[in-house]
């Protein structure tokens, strides 16, 4: 069983939509191993579709090993074999984490080109719109399973010190360091996005699957942007983890992140 | 223009899927104000659908104000009016942030009940499966726009000190404090999920929209779980923000989060 199993349901159809939503709930732990799904009638009402549509979605879930149809008991969620190790990133230990990730995962370079910076990237890096940037698209895998789709932009004057072969074999932060860049700070925003056709293809998920969307701008000691990253992660294989400890009392109380080691 | 505009495309159809994916890219800034979308032929190839489907999706995007069709120039992205203030949470200042959020946002209680703890919640809180818990579902809005859907579970012995009316008017962390709980630590995982019909309805988005999915377990001084939160956020209205500063050098280098004030 894999996340991209061929459920046999036409892409974009109602039954496939129900299939994806229910599979997402199983994969999120809303329905755990052994849990019983609501009956066809209730699901039809909940998703505002016909019972035939629900039946087709449930048949596909059963065919792909997500549920088991039991006589008298309806649809029961099956134990999920872990198809790959779930990665997790502790933002507080990002660089050691990247070093570790580099040891345990592989990256495949999908494209390497020089391009004009899109407006949003130029804005974030603090360079003129249309300035020359090195654009790379990579897919990172763990145990043969792709889990992240990474698009990076680096200003041309920094990027000239490495080439396609370097980026295919070494992590970008090492290449930046080798270029003499002193990485000083980063800002990242975390949100969610849908898998577009090209990303879905690279990550081996269905078009329209939910993905964790991280955008990071890395700056040098002068505050100059040196890297713009857009990373899309499969939620079944990658999560951000944060530990917080309470500090202070009364109105001054707040959470502080726990600075931990590698996990 | 709102994120849940009635594009007139049937839910679950191909044109609606293309509409949602393109709207997601515009809302994510992949296509900025004034940018030209690829031509119909290229989009048809990219999404593996007919040109008629692309045309219907583009017409709906134009009708909802996301793009403008210009003769000779194709589809041009229109400036997005901000329909509500975008919220952002700095995880490092979570409690002051919650206090501030309580001042500037409103919560609506959708349900309040005592229930048996689902297996995943019991596991996370360290209580027996099926133990009595107080379950509440709330929707938080800013400027009249719902941006988060919150499901919380609190062990019964703590929850008995507050009732439905309390939770409808006060933030949960205050009620926990009032119950004598000394909140000490929290762990949160961040990932992505799709909007199911009930959540989509509460957040006024289309079924199948991408949502940021935060799960948080809050513990007291003895390490006992006192709250389990599942929060789903609209990515157009809420993002997690993290600032990181580099600390150390060589192999000991790492990022540390910047502890900032309210933003």
């Amino acid at each position: 069983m894999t996340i991209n199993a061929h459920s046999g349901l036409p892409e974009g159809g109602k039954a496939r939509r129900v299939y994806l939503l229910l599979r997402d709930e199983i994969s999120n732990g809303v329905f755990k191993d052994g849990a019983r799904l609501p009956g066809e009638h209730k699901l039809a009402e909940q998703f505002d579709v016909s019972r035939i549509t629900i039946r087709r979605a449930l048949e596909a879930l059963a065919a792909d090993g997500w549920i088991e149809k039991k006589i008298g008991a309806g649809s029961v969620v099956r134990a999920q074999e872990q198809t790959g190790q779930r990665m997790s990133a502790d933002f507080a230990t990002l660089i050691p984490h990247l070093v570790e990730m580099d040891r345990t995962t592989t990256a495949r370079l999908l494209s390497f080109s020089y391009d004009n910076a899109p407006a949003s990237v130029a804005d974030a890096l603090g360079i003129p719109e249309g300035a020359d940037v090195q654009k790379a698209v990579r897919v990172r895998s763990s145990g043969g399973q792709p889990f992240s789709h990474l698009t990076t932009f680096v200003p041309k004057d920094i990027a000239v010190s490495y080439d396609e072969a370097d980026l295919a074999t070494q992590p970008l932060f090492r290449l930046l360091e080798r270029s003499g860049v002193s990485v000083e700070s980063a800002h990242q925003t975390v949100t969610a996005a849908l898998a577009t056709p090209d990303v879905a293809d690279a990550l081996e998920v269905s078009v329209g699957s939910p993905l964790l969307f991280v955008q990071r701008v890395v700056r040098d000691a002068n505050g100059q942007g040196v890297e713009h990253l857009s990373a899309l992660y499969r939620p079944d294989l990658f999560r951000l983890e944060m530990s917080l400890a309470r500090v202070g009392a009364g109105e001054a109380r707040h959470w502080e992140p726990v600075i931990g080691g590698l996990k």
Side-chain angles (χ1 to χ4, degrees), chain A residues 31 33 67 76 81 104 108 157 174 182-183 207 211 214 223 249 260:
Chain A
F31 298 114
D33 179 32
I67 60 169
V76 174
E81 301 156 33
T104 56
R108 187 162 61 94
D157 55 327
R174 280 212 195 282
S182 167
V183 165
V207 174
L211 299 171
V214 175

Side-chain angles (χ1 to χ4, degrees), chain A residues 2-256:
Chain A
T2 64
I3 191 87
N4 59 320
H6 297 292
S7 62
L9 299 173
E11 187 91 59
K14 281 185 188 179
R16 185 164 185 94
R17 179 167 64 88
V18 173
Y19 168 92
L20 285 177
L21 289 166
L22 286 173
R23 197 186 63 181
D24 193 39
E25 294 201 302
I26 295 170
S27 138
N28 277 335
V30 174
F31 298 114
K32 301 264 279 194
D33 179 32
R36 198 179 304 180
L37 294 187
E40 287 177 11
H41 188 74
K42 190 155 176 210
L43 288 173
E45 199 181 276
Q46 192 186 336
F47 287 98
D48 196 19
V49 296
S50 70
R51 286 183 65 168
I52 294 168
T53 299
I54 294 294
R55 211 165 299 148
R56 288 179 60 213
L58 292 176
E59 273 160 15
L61 285 168
D64 290 348
W66 292 90
I67 60 169
E68 218 168 325
K69 294 238 183 190
K70 292 197 173 165
I71 293 160
S75 304
V76 174
V77 174
R78 283 185 54 181
Q80 299 304 302
E81 301 156 33
Q82 278 296 1
T83 49
Q85 200 194 343
R86 173 171 285 171
M87 310 292 298
S88 71
D90 184 332
F91 62 90
T93 56
L94 197 59
I95 291 188
H97 181 79
L98 289 175
V99 174
E100 175 67 16
M101 225 189 229
D102 180 48
R103 280 199 204 101
T104 56
T105 67
T106 54
R108 187 162 61 94
L109 189 61
L110 297 190
S111 77
F112 183 98
S113 61
Y114 279 88
D115 233 319
N116 297 327
S120 57
V121 171
D123 260 20
L125 289 176
I127 58 176
E129 189 174 332
D132 286 344
V133 286
Q134 198 287 303
K135 179 183 177 184
V137 180
R138 285 170 298 160
V139 171
R140 201 166 270 284
S141 300
S142 172
Q145 280 227 305
F147 69 93
S148 71
H149 181 277
L150 312 166
T151 305
T152 51
F153 295 92
V154 174
K156 187 184 178 187
D157 55 327
I158 299 170
V160 288
S161 71
Y162 59 85
D163 63 15
E164 196 164 340
D166 289 329
L167 198 58
T169 54
Q170 289 175 68
L172 180 55
F173 76 92
R174 280 212 195 282
L175 298 175
L176 293 179
E177 288 185 332
R178 206 184 69 181
S179 309
V181 166
S182 167
V183 165
E184 186 75 15
S185 67
H187 186 81
Q188 93 187 10
T189 62
V190 179
T191 177
L194 297 178
T196 51
D198 53 328
V199 172
D201 190 46
L203 291 181
E204 301 178 7
V205 296
S206 295
V207 174
S209 293
L211 299 171
L212 184 68
F213 183 33
V214 175
Q215 287 184 286
R216 187 188 304 153
V217 177
V218 179
R219 296 180 190 285
D220 69 10
N222 303 317
Q224 176 60 50
V226 296
E227 179 194 337
H228 183 282
L229 166 74
S230 293
L232 291 156
Y233 296 97
R234 278 174 54 165
D236 58 319
L237 295 177
F238 183 92
R239 308 193 158 185
L240 275 175
E241 303 266 347
M242 308 175 189
S243 286
L244 306 163
R246 187 198 170 129
V247 178
E251 287 303 312
R253 69 201 179 292
H254 59 281
W255 295 104
E256 275 185 7

